[in-house]
Amino acid sequence: QVQLVESGGGLVQAGGSLRLSCAASGRAFSGYVMGWFRQAPGRDREFVASVGLNGGSTVYADSVKGRFTISRDNAKNTVYLQMNGLKPEDTAAYSCAAGWGRFGTPSGRDNDYAYWGQGTQVTVSS
C-alpha cells in the first residue's frame, strides 16, 4: 500500500506561482504512474496532470497546459506540480494519486489510480 501526503498549497494572487509536492511512502514509488487531480466546491473532481514511471512522459488537462508542469523524483519518492500563471478558476483542493495506468504510461482517468492523498488547498485571488 502507498500513502501519499501533499504539501505546498496556499493563497496566491492571480498570476502567481505555487509548487505542490506529494511525498509517497514505500519503496515501490518508481513502479507507479502518478497524477494530480483537483476538486472545487460543488464541482466534480477533474484531472490536472500525470507522469509516467520514469518521468519522461506527461499528459495535461487542456485547462493547465503551458502553465503547469508535473515532474517526479524517484530517489525522493516525490511528485511535484509546478503551477505558474495561476488563475482564480484554478482554486480547488489538489490531490495526488498513484496507480499503474496502462503499461506505465500517464493517465487522465481516475479509475487508473488506486491510492489517493488527502489533498492540499490552493486558493487564487483575483
Side-chain angles (χ1 to χ4, degrees):
Q1 188 167 351
V2 176
Q3 291 186 327
L4 304 171
V5 179
E6 302 94 339
S7 61
L11 174 64
V12 63
Q13 289 187 332
S17 298
L18 282 174
R19 188 194 197 201
L20 305 184
S21 299
C22 172
S25 65
R27 294 180 292 178
F29 177 78
S30 61
Y32 292 101
V33 170
M34 299 299 297
W36 285 97
F37 291 76
R38 67 187 182 186
Q39 187 167 19
R43 301 188 66 176
D44 292 336
R45 181 169 60 197
E46 65 171 343
F47 167 71
V48 176
S50 175
V51 59
L53 299 185
N54 63 5
S57 298
T58 57
V59 293
Y60 296 91
D62 288 343
S63 59
V64 306
K65 203 171 294 183
R67 299 188 297 123
F68 291 11
T69 302
I70 188 170
S71 61
R72 65 189 298 163
D73 186 337
N74 286 343
K76 295 182 178 180
N77 283 9
T78 301
V79 62
Y80 305 97
L81 185 68
Q82 178 67 44
M83 305 185 294
N84 299 327
L86 283 161
K87 305 175 182 179
E89 51 264 42
D90 294 319
T91 295
Y94 284 71
S95 298
C96 67
W100 296 275
R102 309 282 176 96
F103 307 106
T105 58
S107 172
R109 295 161 45 96
D110 55 6
N111 286 345
D112 284 339
Y113 296 89
Y115 305 105
W116 294 82
Q118 291 296 313
T120 185
Q121 179 67 34
V122 171
T123 303
V124 185
S125 63
S126 57

